Amino acid sequence: MTDSTRPAWVRWVALGCVGLFVFVGLVVWAFVNLILGSLKQSGAYTDALAKVRADPAAIAALGRPIEPGFFVSGSVNVSGPSGEAELAILVEGSRGEGTLYLEATKRAGEWEYALLELAVDGREDRIDLLAEE
């Protein structure tokens, strides 16, 4: 059958399926961006990125500039001046890539880190970003 001899309903069903596929894709994309956006806007995320960007050992291992990757995994729970965060942030620089791990507690509006380490790809040991504090 050529396109002109197909019944009209076949074209409408095909168009409806494509439209539904596009709609579901957009909903999933928006949901992922909403979740990742909320994690990336947390104080724990932004403070940790500032610390890794300023750390001499991290700069030596990754190179400059150190930028976050798209995906972040973990959780952030904040209620007013208190909260908790456990995140794994993909980072990359001009020389390499790695993952920034953090565990933090927010008390009286300030984030206190129990763990802040950079695992550089291809390297066994981690860089402890809290060692110099």
Side-chain angles (χ1 to χ4, degrees):
M1 273 186 192
T2 64
D3 201 33
S4 61
T5 60
R6 285 193 183 122
W9 67 269
V10 172
R11 283 180 257 156
W12 285 110
V13 168
L15 185 61
C17 289
V18 169
L20 181 63
F21 180 75
V22 169
F23 175 75
V24 169
L26 288 174
V27 168
V28 169
W29 177 80
F31 181 73
V32 167
N33 277 327
L34 178 70
I35 298 297
L36 292 179
S38 66
L39 291 176
K40 289 181 177 184
Q41 291 177 1
S42 71
Y45 176 92
T46 57
D47 291 350
L49 270 182
K51 289 179 188 296
V52 75
R53 286 175 171 155
D55 187 85
I59 294 167
L62 296 178
R64 279 195 172 140
I66 297 175
E67 296 295 333
F70 180 71
F71 285 105
V72 178
S73 63
S75 65
V76 176
N77 299 309
V78 177
S79 178
S82 61
E84 296 176 344
E86 291 183 9
L87 296 173
I89 305 166
L90 298 176
V91 291
E92 59 184 50
S94 60
R95 290 191 204 123
E97 300 176 344
T99 305
L100 179 61
Y101 294 99
L102 73 90
E103 293 178 7
T105 303
K106 187 177 183 183
R107 291 190 179 103
E110 296 292 323
W111 286 100
E112 298 173 8
Y113 294 89
L115 174 79
L116 187 59
E117 294 180 344
L118 176 63
V120 178
D121 292 354
R123 198 171 142 172
E124 285 190 33
D125 61 323
R126 291 184 176 186
I127 298 170
D128 185 356
L129 301 175
L130 298 177
E132 297 177 11
E133 291 185 1

Tab-separated table of all heavy atoms in Angstrom, residues 81-105:
chain	number	residue	atom	x	y	z
A	81	PRO	N	17.547	25.578	59.231
A	81	PRO	CA	18.989	25.682	59.461
A	81	PRO	C	19.693	24.342	59.666
A	81	PRO	O	20.883	24.311	59.967
A	81	PRO	CB	19.068	26.516	60.735
A	81	PRO	CG	17.824	26.150	61.473
A	81	PRO	CD	16.769	25.942	60.408
A	82	SER	N	18.982	23.232	59.519
A	82	SER	CA	19.616	21.928	59.722
A	82	SER	C	19.350	21.030	58.525
A	82	SER	O	18.437	21.254	57.744
A	82	SER	CB	19.090	21.267	61.005
A	82	SER	OG	17.694	21.053	60.907
A	83	GLY	N	20.196	20.011	58.387
A	83	GLY	CA	20.008	19.085	57.289
A	83	GLY	C	21.142	18.089	57.170
A	83	GLY	O	22.080	18.095	57.978
A	84	GLU	N	21.045	17.249	56.158
A	84	GLU	CA	22.053	16.219	55.880
A	84	GLU	C	22.237	16.103	54.374
A	84	GLU	O	21.296	16.329	53.613
A	84	GLU	CB	21.605	14.862	56.419
A	84	GLU	CG	21.459	14.799	57.916
A	84	GLU	CD	20.922	13.455	58.387
A	84	GLU	OE1	20.380	12.701	57.543
A	84	GLU	OE2	21.046	13.171	59.570
A	85	ALA	N	23.445	15.758	53.970
A	85	ALA	CA	23.729	15.561	52.552
A	85	ALA	C	24.724	14.430	52.372
A	85	ALA	O	25.689	14.315	53.138
A	85	ALA	CB	24.296	16.847	51.940
A	86	GLU	N	24.463	13.586	51.404
A	86	GLU	CA	25.386	12.542	50.958
A	86	GLU	C	25.341	12.568	49.442
A	86	GLU	O	24.329	12.250	48.840
A	86	GLU	CB	24.961	11.169	51.472
A	86	GLU	CG	25.107	11.002	52.967
A	86	GLU	CD	24.751	9.592	53.433
A	86	GLU	OE1	24.560	8.698	52.580
A	86	GLU	OE2	24.650	9.408	54.643
A	87	LEU	N	26.452	12.986	48.831
A	87	LEU	CA	26.470	13.157	47.388
A	87	LEU	C	27.718	12.548	46.758
A	87	LEU	O	28.768	12.477	47.404
A	87	LEU	CB	26.432	14.645	47.018
A	87	LEU	CG	25.188	15.435	47.408
A	87	LEU	CD1	25.385	16.915	47.119
A	87	LEU	CD2	23.968	14.917	46.675
A	88	ALA	N	27.581	12.161	45.510
A	88	ALA	CA	28.703	11.769	44.653
A	88	ALA	C	28.592	12.644	43.412
A	88	ALA	O	27.597	12.584	42.687
A	88	ALA	CB	28.633	10.293	44.287
A	89	ILE	N	29.605	13.497	43.197
A	89	ILE	CA	29.580	14.477	42.124
A	89	ILE	C	30.692	14.152	41.131
A	89	ILE	O	31.864	14.120	41.507
A	89	ILE	CB	29.806	15.901	42.689
A	89	ILE	CG1	28.789	16.214	43.784
A	89	ILE	CG2	29.772	16.932	41.575
A	89	ILE	CD1	29.140	17.443	44.610
A	90	LEU	N	30.330	13.918	39.885
A	90	LEU	CA	31.337	13.701	38.855
A	90	LEU	C	31.989	15.041	38.535
A	90	LEU	O	31.305	16.047	38.358
A	90	LEU	CB	30.705	13.120	37.596
A	90	LEU	CG	30.050	11.751	37.747
A	90	LEU	CD1	29.392	11.335	36.451
A	90	LEU	CD2	31.058	10.722	38.187
A	91	VAL	N	33.331	15.063	38.501
A	91	VAL	CA	34.077	16.275	38.180
A	91	VAL	C	35.123	15.948	37.123
A	91	VAL	O	35.570	14.817	37.010
A	91	VAL	CB	34.750	16.901	39.434
A	91	VAL	CG1	33.710	17.463	40.383
A	91	VAL	CG2	35.639	15.909	40.145
A	92	GLU	N	35.500	16.983	36.369
A	92	GLU	CA	36.529	16.777	35.361
A	92	GLU	C	37.339	18.052	35.191
A	92	GLU	O	36.848	19.156	35.407
A	92	GLU	CB	35.925	16.345	34.031
A	92	GLU	CG	34.947	17.327	33.440
A	92	GLU	CD	34.288	16.814	32.176
A	92	GLU	OE1	33.776	15.686	32.192
A	92	GLU	OE2	34.310	17.561	31.188
A	93	GLY	N	38.593	17.833	34.856
A	93	GLY	CA	39.504	18.937	34.587
A	93	GLY	C	40.220	18.693	33.274
A	93	GLY	O	39.905	17.743	32.549
A	94	SER	N	41.203	19.518	32.986
A	94	SER	CA	41.925	19.392	31.718
A	94	SER	C	42.811	18.147	31.668
A	94	SER	O	43.166	17.684	30.586
A	94	SER	CB	42.771	20.644	31.474
A	94	SER	OG	43.710	20.814	32.527
A	95	ARG	N	43.154	17.573	32.832
A	95	ARG	CA	44.039	16.396	32.874
A	95	ARG	C	43.342	15.093	33.228
A	95	ARG	O	43.928	14.024	33.072
A	95	ARG	CB	45.147	16.632	33.907
A	95	ARG	CG	46.136	17.655	33.503
A	95	ARG	CD	47.332	17.638	34.452
A	95	ARG	NE	47.966	18.927	34.416
A	95	ARG	CZ	48.161	19.704	35.461
A	95	ARG	NH1	47.816	19.312	36.659
A	95	ARG	NH2	48.736	20.877	35.317
A	96	GLY	N	42.150	15.176	33.794
A	96	GLY	CA	41.513	13.935	34.221
A	96	GLY	C	40.116	14.134	34.756
A	96	GLY	O	39.576	15.241	34.787
A	97	GLU	N	39.548	13.010	35.208
A	97	GLU	CA	38.196	12.985	35.747
A	97	GLU	C	38.199	12.276	37.083
A	97	GLU	O	39.112	11.529	37.399
A	97	GLU	CB	37.254	12.252	34.791
A	97	GLU	CG	37.153	12.875	33.428
A	97	GLU	CD	36.285	12.055	32.487
A	97	GLU	OE1	36.012	10.864	32.788
A	97	GLU	OE2	35.882	12.595	31.451
A	98	GLY	N	37.145	12.505	37.844
A	98	GLY	CA	37.027	11.843	39.131
A	98	GLY	C	35.640	12.020	39.711
A	98	GLY	O	34.736	12.562	39.070
A	99	THR	N	35.502	11.548	40.944
A	99	THR	CA	34.241	11.670	41.666
A	99	THR	C	34.518	12.286	43.019
A	99	THR	O	35.408	11.845	43.749
A	99	THR	CB	33.574	10.286	41.847
A	99	THR	OG1	33.424	9.674	40.562
A	99	THR	CG2	32.219	10.423	42.513
A	100	LEU	N	33.762	13.311	43.342
A	100	LEU	CA	33.855	13.991	44.627
A	100	LEU	C	32.777	13.415	45.530
A	100	LEU	O	31.593	13.472	45.208
A	100	LEU	CB	33.652	15.496	44.428
A	100	LEU	CG	33.690	16.376	45.654
A	100	LEU	CD1	35.041	16.288	46.350
A	100	LEU	CD2	33.393	17.823	45.276
A	101	TYR	N	33.202	12.814	46.639
A	101	TYR	CA	32.271	12.218	47.596
A	101	TYR	C	32.162	13.125	48.807
A	101	TYR	O	33.179	13.608	49.319
A	101	TYR	CB	32.763	10.839	48.042
A	101	TYR	CG	32.777	9.824	46.927
A	101	TYR	CD1	33.951	9.524	46.248
A	101	TYR	CD2	31.609	9.167	46.550
A	101	TYR	CE1	33.966	8.601	45.217
A	101	TYR	CE2	31.622	8.237	45.523
A	101	TYR	CZ	32.803	7.960	44.864
A	101	TYR	OH	32.807	7.046	43.843
A	102	LEU	N	30.931	13.332	49.276
A	102	LEU	CA	30.765	14.146	50.470
A	102	LEU	C	29.659	13.612	51.355
A	102	LEU	O	28.680	13.053	50.880
A	102	LEU	CB	30.502	15.612	50.109
A	102	LEU	CG	29.150	16.002	49.533
A	102	LEU	CD1	28.151	16.371	50.613
A	102	LEU	CD2	29.334	17.182	48.619
A	103	GLU	N	29.891	13.754	52.643
A	103	GLU	CA	28.880	13.514	53.666
A	103	GLU	C	28.940	14.726	54.580
A	103	GLU	O	30.012	15.068	55.086
A	103	GLU	CB	29.171	12.239	54.456
A	103	GLU	CG	29.042	10.982	53.633
A	103	GLU	CD	29.388	9.726	54.431
A	103	GLU	OE1	29.598	9.815	55.661
A	103	GLU	OE2	29.456	8.654	53.810
A	104	ALA	N	27.795	15.390	54.749
A	104	ALA	CA	27.793	16.623	55.524
A	104	ALA	C	26.515	16.755	56.331
A	104	ALA	O	25.479	16.189	55.982
A	104	ALA	CB	27.941	17.824	54.597
A	105	THR	N	26.618	17.516	57.399
A	105	THR	CA	25.486	17.833	58.250
A	105	THR	C	25.399	19.345	58.370
A	105	THR	O	26.408	20.019	58.574
A	105	THR	CB	25.672	17.214	59.661
A	105	THR	OG1	25.850	15.801	59.519
A	105	THR	CG2	24.467	17.469	60.537
